[in-house]
């Protein structure tokens, strides 16, 4: 942890954008370090990020509760092995008061643009107050962008979508005013979210038609309420830490299964192939349940109610891409499937990092233009030409095997050390282009050994063939590379 600020030292003014795990964690760590000169901007009216927005029925996390929380804001009160969305949201809601950052948070405040001023070496943020529409320009020494990878829902531009006559919404903007009782619901996109909300709405809906482009690998979920005894034990610091470590270590081992051709990948593939073959029968064809890609290409999902839901007589799986939408139907391969409600579980615009903000760095360079061939940052955190800008859950920091909270904590600690180095009016830090290029060459090289590069559809790649979302190794490897900033990687500008 960075040493506390000494009395009389000038601390940098820090803007944090977003109040998910990253933004709240960053604010809490700044305050712990004695840096109180920060403001947290949040465009919504409450904190919580993706766990506020994803309130769909059945929403839950596939990482165990005790690993899915900030290590420096522990939550001994988890009630289940795997947390549900309401429980995660309650935890996130509790963080501001517990860490003393409440007064630093500005709700309903959207950062539309940020511009680095070469003369004053500061960032000017254009902030819109969404409550009254006023726009202000506010100045900071450093900016932490904690907007994440999953904040902008993706709805495909399907022909005829605007002609559909019934309710239409995305899983991350669930319309709780629409009563699904007795409705004929079409679900487009069957991924991590759909396998949770489809079983949860199946009982109420009159029928469900699932429009699935690719099948998923779905494993059983070893979920259960934590017993009263376990919960008592988990109030003991040492026990809780050991339990957290054991979950992390178990999940860490799963990275080996993401290496193409590895023994673990082949073993896992065999296990799934045998299990999935059992699900194939008169109701479910092979195409409906057996993925046509290598294990690990898409997130391996966990659920106990997925295959039983698919077996229901009122649930139909339609394989293939959606051709067009009609006022009362979805057309696939020339066949119109009647539905009166459409739900999209089609994921997020996850490669558009920091969108839709305009970000202008040194000498007027535009961040999104410099990322036109795919986003990249040094360790996913700093970007050359954008001094004192720190990105959390940035390019190449997503995981397929372990908890993203671990990665966020590494990024928070790294950014905190950099920000701490600015105390006393030190000049801004700009990562050297050579350091950024070298770390990204290594990431892309290492990604080349994973299933994402070798055996998957083009999902994970940009038009130029780069992978910009996923980290290339274990979380331990990320920890080793980010345990402290290497000052020779930076210029003081
Ligand atoms: P997702 O897992 O990426 O699934 C999106 C689905 O939409 C896929 O089945 C995809 O098909 C389909 N799709 C996309 N465009 C389509 C189109 N034009 N026509 C038809 N189908 C289309 O998205 P998600 O379920 O929203 O989850 C997004 C991310 O949220 C996940 O990757 C995960 O990181 C996170 N998440 C995490 C948890 C958790 O427990 N931690 C839970 C839910 C979500 P293809 O596969 O063929 O592209």
């Amino acid at each position: 942890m960075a040493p506390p600020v000494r009395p009389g030292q000038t601390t940098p003014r820090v803007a944090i954008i977003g109040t998910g795990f990253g933004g709240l964690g960053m604010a809490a760590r700044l305050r712990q370090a004695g840096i109180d000169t920060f403001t947290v901007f949040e465009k919504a009216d409450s904190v919580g990020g993706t766990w506020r927005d994803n309130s769909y029925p059945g929403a839950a996390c596939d990482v165990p509760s005790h690993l899915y929380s900030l290590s420096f804001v522990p939550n001994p009160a988890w009630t289940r092995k795997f947390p549900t969305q309401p429980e995660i949201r309650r935890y996130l809601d509790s963080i501001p008061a517990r860490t003393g950052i409440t007064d630093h948070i500005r709700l309903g405040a959207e950062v539309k643009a940020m511009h680095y001023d070469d003369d004053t070496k500061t960032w000017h943020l254009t902030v819109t107050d969404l409550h009254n529409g006023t726009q202000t320009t506010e100045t900071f020494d450093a900016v932490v962008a904690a907007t994440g990878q999953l904040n902008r829902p993706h709805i495909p531009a399907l022909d005829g979508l605007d002609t559909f006559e019934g309710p239409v919404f995305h899983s991350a903007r669930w319309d709780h005013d629409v009563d699904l009782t007795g409705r004929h619901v079409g679900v487009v996109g069957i991924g991590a979210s759909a396998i949770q909300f489809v079983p949860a709405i199946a009982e109420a809906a009159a029928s469900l038609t699932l429009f699935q482009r690719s099948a998923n690998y779905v494993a059983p979920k070893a979920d259960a309420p934590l017993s009263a005894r376990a919960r008592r034990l988990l109030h003991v610091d040492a026990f809780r830490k050991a339990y957290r470590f054991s979950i992390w270590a178990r999940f860490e081992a799963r990275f080996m299964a993401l290496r193409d051709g590895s023994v673990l990948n082949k073993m896992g593939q065999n296990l799934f192939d045998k299990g999935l073959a059992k699900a194939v029968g008169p109701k479910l064809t092979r195409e409906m349940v057996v993925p046509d890609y290598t294990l690990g290409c898409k997130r391996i999902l966990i659920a106990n109610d997925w295959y039983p839901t698919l077996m229901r007589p009122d649930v139909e799986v339609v394989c293939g891409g959606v051709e067009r939408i009609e006022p009362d139907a979805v057309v696939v391969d020339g066949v119109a499937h009647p539905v009166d409600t459409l739900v999209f579980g089609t994921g997020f615009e996850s490669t558009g990092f920091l969108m839709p903000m305009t970000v202008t760095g040194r000498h007027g360079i535009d961040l999104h233009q410099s990322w036109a061939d795919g986003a990249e940052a040094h360790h996913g955190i700093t970007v050359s030409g954008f001094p004192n800008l720190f990105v959390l859950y940035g390019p190449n920091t997503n995981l397929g095997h372990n908890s993203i909270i671990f990665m966020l904590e590494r990024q928070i600690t790294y950014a905190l050390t950099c920000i701490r180095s600015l105390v006393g009016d030190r000049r801004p830090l700009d990562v050297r282009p050579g350091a950024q290029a070298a770390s990204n060459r290594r990431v892309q090289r290492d990604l080349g050994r994973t299933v994402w590069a070798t055996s998957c559809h083009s999902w994970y790649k940009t038009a130029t063939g780069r992978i910009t979302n996923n980290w290339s190794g274990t979380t331990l490897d990320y920890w080793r590379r980010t345990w402290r900033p290497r000052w020779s990687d930076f210029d003081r500008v």
Side-chain angles (χ1 to χ4, degrees):
M1 189 188 294
V5 176
R6 289 197 303 277
Q9 281 186 311
T10 316
T11 55
R13 295 160 296 175
V14 184
I16 299 171
I17 309 170
T19 61
F21 271 102
L24 293 178
M26 187 76 238
R29 290 292 309 273
L30 279 170
R31 187 158 154 72
Q32 265 180 5
I35 298 176
D36 258 331
T37 41
F38 64 89
T39 304
V40 189
F41 295 98
E42 168 55 63
K43 67 176 171 359
D45 278 333
S46 58
V47 302
T50 199
W51 290 106
R52 173 200 58 229
D53 296 339
N54 283 271
S55 62
Y56 57 77
C61 186
D62 57 9
V63 173
S65 314
H66 278 274
L67 189 58
Y68 209 74
S69 39
L70 296 165
S71 62
F72 48 91
V73 193
N75 183 17
W78 291 117
T79 62
R80 306 186 65 81
K81 285 188 179 167
F82 287 87
T84 60
Q85 179 266 349
E87 207 169 357
I88 300 172
R89 185 146 189 221
R90 274 199 299 281
Y91 167 68
L92 286 165
D93 280 345
S94 76
I95 292 177
R98 287 178 64 188
T99 59
I101 59 169
T102 307
D103 293 345
H104 295 261
I105 300 174
R106 289 212 346 231
L107 299 172
E110 181 175 9
V111 177
K112 298 260 194 200
M114 47 178 152
H115 159 71
Y116 185 74
D117 185 329
D118 289 297
D119 297 328
T120 58
K121 298 183 189 305
T122 54
W123 282 96
H124 300 308
L125 270 57
T126 309
V127 184
T128 301
D129 183 328
L130 298 175
H131 297 134
N132 58 22
T134 56
Q135 192 161 292
T136 49
T137 302
E138 309 191 24
T139 301
F140 295 89
D141 300 296
V143 179
V144 179
T147 47
Q149 296 190 7
L150 307 176
N151 62 353
R152 289 183 308 127
H154 163 70
I155 294 190
L158 297 169
D159 259 6
L161 180 55
D162 54 341
T163 67
F164 190 72
E165 282 169 351
V168 179
F169 53 90
H170 187 279
S171 56
R173 300 287 183 273
W174 196 270
D175 189 341
H176 292 278
D177 291 337
V178 177
D179 180 2
L180 295 177
T181 310
R183 298 194 77 96
H184 297 280
V185 182
V187 179
V188 179
I190 306 298
S193 304
I195 70 132
Q196 296 182 338
F197 70 73
V198 164
I201 62 173
E203 197 56 51
S207 73
L208 278 174
T209 311
L210 312 181
F211 299 97
Q212 175 179 279
R213 223 165 45 174
S214 341
N216 295 285
Y217 288 100
V218 185
K221 184 173 187 179
D223 191 19
L226 288 162
S227 67
R229 183 163 171 271
R231 291 177 64 183
R232 270 198 309 278
L233 275 171
L234 285 162
H235 274 82
V236 179
D237 260 14
F239 184 82
R240 193 179 56 251
K241 283 181 184 160
Y243 179 54
R244 182 182 172 97
F245 177 81
S246 73
I247 304 169
W248 170 80
R250 191 158 41 85
F251 272 54
E252 189 71 336
R254 304 195 309 181
F255 181 74
M256 291 307 128
L258 299 176
R259 280 209 188 282
D260 201 19
S262 67
V263 176
L264 220 59
N265 184 272
K266 284 182 183 149
M267 278 168 56
Q269 184 79 60
N270 281 341
L271 212 66
F272 267 104
D273 286 349
K274 281 186 194 141
L276 290 171
K278 286 186 200 148
V280 178
K283 168 122 205 274
L284 299 175
T285 65
R286 202 179 154 72
E287 189 189 13
M288 290 172 188
V289 288
V290 183
D292 65 350
Y293 52 84
T294 307
L295 179 71
C297 280
K298 287 210 302 178
R299 197 179 178 87
I300 298 167
L301 308 178
I302 52 173
N304 298 325
D305 46 7
W306 179 243
Y307 296 112
T309 303
L310 295 189
M311 291 305 293
R312 289 175 64 110
D314 50 2
V315 174
E316 185 193 358
V317 182
V318 176
C319 294
V322 173
E323 219 167 272
R324 65 175 188 282
I325 307 286
E326 293 184 345
D328 56 359
V330 175
V331 181
V332 176
D333 286 336
V335 180
H337 299 268
V339 293
D340 60 23
T341 306
L342 260 186
V343 183
F344 283 90
T346 37
F348 297 85
E349 306 283 357
S350 58
T351 52
F353 297 89
L354 271 64
M355 293 284 262
M357 286 183 289
T358 306
V359 185
T360 318
R362 286 175 77 192
H363 315 304
I365 45 172
D366 179 272
L367 182 70
H368 298 301
Q369 261 173 27
S370 61
W371 280 352
D373 289 339
E376 69 163 51
H378 186 49
H379 303 321
I381 307 171
T382 53
V383 188
S384 189
F386 298 83
N388 287 355
L389 169 66
F390 304 96
V391 185
L392 305 184
Y393 198 7
N396 291 109
T397 62
N398 188 43
L399 297 177
H401 72 289
N402 210 332
S403 170
I404 200 64
I405 310 296
F406 181 97
M407 301 293 273
L408 282 171
E409 288 203 22
R410 291 310 314 144
Q411 292 149 18
I412 289 168
T413 303
Y414 188 97
L416 178 65
T417 311
C418 291
I419 292 168
R420 180 71 184 81
S421 84
L422 304 171
V423 170
D425 288 330
R426 296 286 309 282
R427 283 188 299 155
L429 286 164
D430 192 8
V431 67
R432 293 186 169 159
Q436 181 177 317
S439 63
N440 277 282
R441 267 198 305 277
R442 204 208 54 252
V443 166
Q444 293 300 324
R445 184 202 64 205
D446 292 354
L447 279 167
R449 298 185 200 119
T450 63
V451 289
W452 304 310
T454 54
S455 325
C456 301
H457 297 303
S458 56
W459 296 308
Y460 290 99
K461 295 183 184 162
T462 62
T464 53
R466 279 175 46 214
I467 295 173
T468 60
N469 287 92
N470 285 357
W471 170 238
S472 53
T474 59
T475 63
L476 195 61
D477 183 35
Y478 191 72
W479 178 84
R480 195 170 60 78
R481 292 182 189 283
T482 56
W483 79 277
R484 68 177 176 79
R486 198 163 63 182
W487 298 119
S488 59
D489 286 346
F490 293 89
D491 287 320
R492 291 261 174 205
V493 293

